[in-house]
Amino acid sequence: MEPFHTVTGPAAPLLAPNIDTDIIMPKTFLKGVDREGLDVGAFNLLRFADGKPNPDFVLNKPGYEGCRFLVVGPNFGCGSSREHAVWGLSQLGIRALIGTTFAGIFNDNCKNNGLLTIVLPPETVAMLAHYASNPERNTFTIDLAQQTIFLDATSEEIMFDIDATRKDMLIKGLDPVGVTLEHADEIRAFEALHKENQPWFF
Amino acid sequence: MKTPRTLYDKIIDAHTVRTLDDKGLILLYVDRTILNEYTSPQAFTGLRKAGRKVWNPKAALMVVDHVNSTAAHRTDRMPDAGGQRQVEYFAENARDFGIELFDILDKRQGIEHVVAPEQGLVMPGMVVAAGDSHTTTYGALGAVAFGIGTSDIEHYLATQTLVYRRLKTMRVSVTGPPAVGITSKDIVMEVIRRIGADGATGYAVEFAGDTLYAMSVEARMTVCTMIVEAGARGAVMAPDEKVIAYIRGRPRAPRGAMWESAVESWHLLKSDADARFDRELKIDAADVAPMVTWGTSPDQAATITDVVPHPETQVDVTRRKADLRALEYMGLMPGTPIASIPISHAFIGSCTNSRIEDLRDAAQVLDGRKVAQNVRAIVVPGSTQVRTQAETEGISQKFIDAGFEWRQSGCSMCLAMNDDVLKPGDRCASSTNRNFEGRQGAGARTHLMSPAMVAAAAVEGHITDVRKFRSGA
Ligand code: SF4
């Protein structure tokens, strides 16, 4: 997993509520057995029309090349559990999502793939969306260690909260399975007791 | 005195291996998983790359359901090369990691959320996590159940645990006798409409109230399945005698003395009387009418007697824009009576509504009637066992006589990952759970409703109130 330190780049607004994982990664891109090649899939039906880039979609507009951040509407990532949505966003170069609420499974998937999700109050998200909407003022710098979003346009710095464990994982790019397996003995001991109490589960 | 606890908290407490921070982050022991062919491959690849084994292969079941054909006569070949590769890799993983597999021609194959309860794989008091959002289904059996992504599948397979943050709790109580002809699908759609598509985000939902307890276990599964469309990260319902009767004698259910002790312990599974929930929602079942979605999010729904809403009346600007966009996609004019919208397709199936009772209910509406001429109607049983049972009961014949295609089991047109795909502009009355843009095919339009409502719409060729069929009118 790519560690997250400081990332600078353009931000784009995608403010519709309830952007679901079917939209983020349409089903035609779910037929793989690996994580590769999903950048084409990301927002495919919005990004392309008749096989050509759709000029109306924000990521195809001038000033959004190399977009690193999305400022998104409420409940982003709802629906299907498909992690392909997150793999696709990462492969598209997106490193952080800023919004008011994220859907649960999607948010967990982001954490597991080094994609930072930042939750801020609606007014702050609206303010950031305002800058993201202007391709001449949409450069942000996100510093995870400092928990700040720096706006190039105004030199303003916005603080955000993130839980400590999540932050640690993202900064270190840890392998969560490896971390948990350090507690393998404890899991085994728990399991033995669990089996004694509920043998019918086994 | 002990602090009163909710059922969710009791089950989570009983599965906590260790605490990871002081804000509810824990290492959670998970009793079961069910794997499908499209969200699991990368998890197995991860295990292979790291040289890791599956912690307890017996705690998992693998079922092919998403990419397979549901043609009446099907083989073990998938409709396309990608699907074929997924199914082959799936079988390879089952063999190499020692996990039981129900492949496409297995008599026990079906949609994972129909198959797992059918096999008695899910029991009260369990924690079940699986790579599909509708895993919440199993809440109806008294388990805490939730969906996870592929990285977490890998974590589960390797460690039998998940790094899990405890959720807030919401109780949804549905009380009183429902009006005639109202199904549990209508109830859960009403809940979603009221609280919104993110109304339960961050919550585990406990369903309660005499209405749901008067309903069958299968009807409760519909409610638990679909609450994920309000963002619920888990669902649970205290098990009662119906749940116990449902599990008894199933292939993986305990037997003999172990059954007796299991039942004894299941009787204790309920929230303490004075347990505090972070949020409470009360619904009077008498207020619920047959529900239909008009938009592209499951909360964009109305009752059958309603009209397509006027977005101008929506005060929230973001919502107003979303409503406008939805109506444009759906090709609907504000003010159009819901019960007049013509359909081109009718689909009965999906983990929300494809169990035997769903089929019985729809067949009853169809009995002696015919599908309208310009409607293509399809019914896809939730499992091969459901299909067989429906054939034995003569239900399949009722569908066939009415003009429905009687299919094999799978997810099918619920997400159209196989060859059951709608074309742009097609309009489908669907017993599924998601009306997202492009869900049933790029440009296709989905109206969610109960299976009986789908049957009624198929007959009339437009969305209609099933209650007039029920009263024999
Ligand atoms: S039936 Fe639909 S919602 Fe259910 S598991 Fe299959 S694709 Fe998902």
Side-chain angles (χ1 to χ4, degrees):
Chain A
M1 195 167 95
E2 191 183 350
F4 197 112
H5 300 293
T6 302
V7 179
T8 300
L14 264 183
L15 298 166
N18 307 321
I19 292 185
D20 56 73
T21 53
D22 277 68
I23 288 291
I24 304 174
M25 186 58 64
K27 57 185 150 278
T28 30
F29 299 92
L30 304 178
K31 290 287 176 69
V33 292
D34 54 31
R35 301 173 193 219
E36 311 309 317
L38 290 166
D39 47 341
V40 202
F43 298 119
N44 188 278
L45 298 176
L46 301 177
R47 267 167 74 210
F48 301 97
D50 305 319
K52 288 194 287 287
N54 168 10
D56 295 337
F57 185 60
V58 62
L59 295 182
N60 294 330
K61 291 184 182 169
Y64 293 97
E65 303 87 1
C67 177
R68 289 284 167 275
F69 315 116
L70 298 176
V71 182
V72 298
N75 204 27
F76 188 82
C78 61
S80 158
S81 65
R82 59 186 73 162
E83 200 162 309
H84 311 65
V86 176
W87 301 331
L89 288 172
S90 294
Q91 289 168 24
L92 208 58
I94 305 297
R95 298 299 313 277
L97 305 169
I98 304 163
T100 51
T101 52
F102 293 93
I105 303 176
F106 176 81
N107 203 9
D108 284 355
N109 291 341
C110 286
K111 172 195 70 185
N112 288 329
N113 290 279
L115 183 57
L116 174 63
T117 47
I118 299 176
V119 176
L120 287 167
E123 316 79 64
T124 317
V125 172
M127 191 267 278
L128 292 170
H130 171 74
Y131 288 105
S133 305
N134 182 345
E136 276 160 21
R137 295 165 74 86
N138 68 344
T139 303
F140 296 2
T141 297
I142 297 183
D143 183 336
L144 179 54
Q146 298 300 319
Q147 301 180 205
T148 54
I149 305 171
F150 178 82
L151 304 185
D152 261 24
T154 59
S155 298
E156 237 178 305
E157 205 169 66
I158 289 132
M159 299 286 298
F160 60 87
D161 280 335
I162 181 168
D163 89 55
T165 325
R166 193 174 181 120
K167 177 175 172 181
D168 199 46
M169 265 194 55
L170 287 165
I171 287 183
K172 294 187 182 143
L174 292 175
D175 159 30
V177 178
V179 174
T180 297
L181 282 175
E182 285 171 21
H183 306 298
D185 288 343
E186 218 170 319
I187 301 172
R188 235 169 260 124
F190 176 92
E191 189 168 56
L193 201 67
H194 196 55
K195 189 169 179 175
E196 211 172 285
N197 292 335
Q198 279 127 330
W200 48 90
F201 283 1
F202 287 82
Chain B
M1 210 186 76
K2 272 203 177 141
T3 341
R5 290 182 299 164
T6 66
L7 176 56
Y8 167 79
D9 285 315
K10 290 181 189 183
I11 295 178
I12 296 299
D13 286 347
H15 287 79
T16 302
V17 177
R18 64 181 287 140
T19 312
L20 299 174
D21 76 3
D22 55 3
K23 289 189 231 94
L25 195 73
I26 56 172
L27 192 61
L28 180 73
Y29 187 89
V30 178
D31 299 295
R32 285 275 190 278
T33 201
I34 299 95
L35 301 151
N36 68 50
E37 71 281 11
Y38 103 88
T39 64
S40 75
Q42 298 84 354
F44 284 107
T45 304
L47 294 180
R48 288 175 189 276
K49 275 195 185 143
R52 288 173 177 141
K53 292 202 302 253
V54 170
W55 183 282
N56 179 11
K58 278 228 252 21
L61 174 70
M62 300 174 73
V63 191
V64 175
D65 57 1
H66 282 72
V67 306
N68 57 273
S69 159
T70 60
H73 302 283
R74 65 180 173 189
T75 65
D76 59 358
R77 302 303 295 174
M78 295 303 121
D80 62 273
Q84 184 64 28
R85 176 81 195 100
Q86 284 182 327
V87 168
E88 281 165 12
Y89 189 46
F90 200 54
E92 203 175 308
N93 287 325
R95 195 183 55 233
D96 293 353
F97 291 92
I99 301 172
E100 182 166 28
L101 165 70
F102 293 174
D103 66 15
I104 194 63
L105 298 178
D106 196 297
K107 282 195 180 66
R108 300 160 298 178
Q109 179 273 343
I111 303 171
E112 55 182 281
H113 311 305
V114 178
V115 168
E118 214 167 61
Q119 292 300 315
L121 211 62
V122 177
M123 293 173 221
M126 276 185 170
V127 170
V128 184
D132 190 283
S133 57
H134 292 101
T135 303
T136 49
T137 307
Y138 315 130
L141 295 166
V144 166
F146 55 93
I148 54 177
T150 303
S151 298
D152 278 339
I153 298 176
E154 184 179 337
H155 191 282
Y156 164 85
L157 288 173
T159 70
Q160 202 65 31
T161 64
L162 291 172
V163 174
Y164 180 83
R165 186 168 300 281
R166 214 176 245 283
L167 301 165
K168 289 180 286 183
T169 53
M170 181 189 306
R171 179 162 56 190
V172 177
S173 310
V174 189
T175 50
V180 180
I182 301 307
T183 67
S184 65
K185 178 71 163 281
D186 301 306
I187 292 176
V188 70
M189 285 180 71
E190 172 67 18
V191 172
I192 296 164
R193 174 169 79 143
R194 281 205 205 172
I195 66 177
D198 59 354
T201 299
Y203 288 92
V205 170
E206 176 173 336
F207 282 103
D210 57 289
T211 312
L212 297 175
Y213 281 101
M215 290 182 162
S216 70
V217 176
E218 293 195 349
R220 299 174 201 176
M221 286 191 214
T222 301
V223 173
C224 289
T225 302
M226 204 166 164
I227 196 63
V228 76
E229 309 313 335
R233 195 61 211 285
V236 70
M237 249 185 107
D240 62 354
E241 293 308 322
K242 285 184 186 169
V243 169
I244 291 164
Y246 178 91
I247 296 171
R248 186 196 303 271
R250 295 195 179 261
R252 294 286 290 269
R255 307 193 185 270
M258 207 192 272
W259 169 258
E260 300 304 327
S261 353
V263 168
E264 210 176 298
S265 83
W266 295 344
H267 280 137
L268 305 174
L269 289 170
K270 49 174 171 267
S271 291
D272 293 328
D274 38 3
R276 209 189 60 81
F277 290 81
D278 298 296
R279 189 172 169 194
E280 293 260 13
L281 180 72
K282 291 190 163 49
I283 301 248
D284 185 344
D287 294 343
V288 180
M291 298 290 292
V292 178
T293 59
W294 50 263
T296 53
S297 173
D299 58 352
Q300 290 174 321
T303 64
I304 185 65
T305 53
D306 239 323
V307 296
V308 174
H310 294 267
E312 316 81 80
T313 58
Q314 177 65 259
V315 279
D316 181 310
V317 187
T318 324
R319 305 271 160 202
R320 192 186 313 149
K321 277 195 202 154
D323 285 3
L324 281 166
R325 160 86 195 165
L327 290 185
E328 189 193 317
Y329 180 86
M330 294 297 289
L332 291 174
M333 293 297 291
T336 310
I338 299 281
S340 73
I341 301 170
I343 58 162
S344 60
H345 287 74
F347 178 73
I348 295 176
S350 92
C351 55
T352 305
N353 281 125
S354 63
R355 297 180 176 80
I356 191 69
E357 290 176 14
D358 298 314
L359 301 193
R360 283 186 196 133
D361 199 29
Q364 205 178 9
V365 173
L366 291 174
D367 201 7
R369 298 189 168 96
K370 290 270 183 235
V371 170
Q373 237 173 17
N374 35 22
V375 172
R376 182 171 171 208
I378 295 171
V379 53
V380 175
S383 72
T384 306
Q385 287 196 10
V386 169
R387 180 179 150 98
T388 311
Q389 188 177 350
E391 285 172 349
T392 315
E393 289 184 18
I395 290 169
S396 53
Q397 204 51 50
K398 287 191 181 154
F399 280 107
I400 295 166
D401 290 346
F404 267 78
E405 292 172 32
W406 178 245
R407 298 291 201 88
Q408 297 278 353
S409 171
C411 293
S412 181
M413 208 179 271
C414 173
L415 92 167
M417 255 184 91
N418 66 352
D419 47 348
D420 301 323
V421 187
L422 294 180
K423 287 201 270 307
D426 285 348
R427 190 182 292 282
C428 185
S430 185
S431 76
T432 55
N433 42 50
R434 287 183 176 145
N435 51 342
F436 299 158
E437 281 187 24
R439 173 82 176 178
Q440 297 189 296
R445 295 153 174 167
T446 304
H447 293 276
L448 304 177
M449 59 193 84
S450 71
M453 282 282 286
V454 174
V459 167
E460 298 218 328
H462 59 82
I463 298 173
T464 188
D465 194 336
V466 69
R467 288 175 295 190
K468 64 183 174 207
F469 289 71
R470 305 258 199 212
S471 58

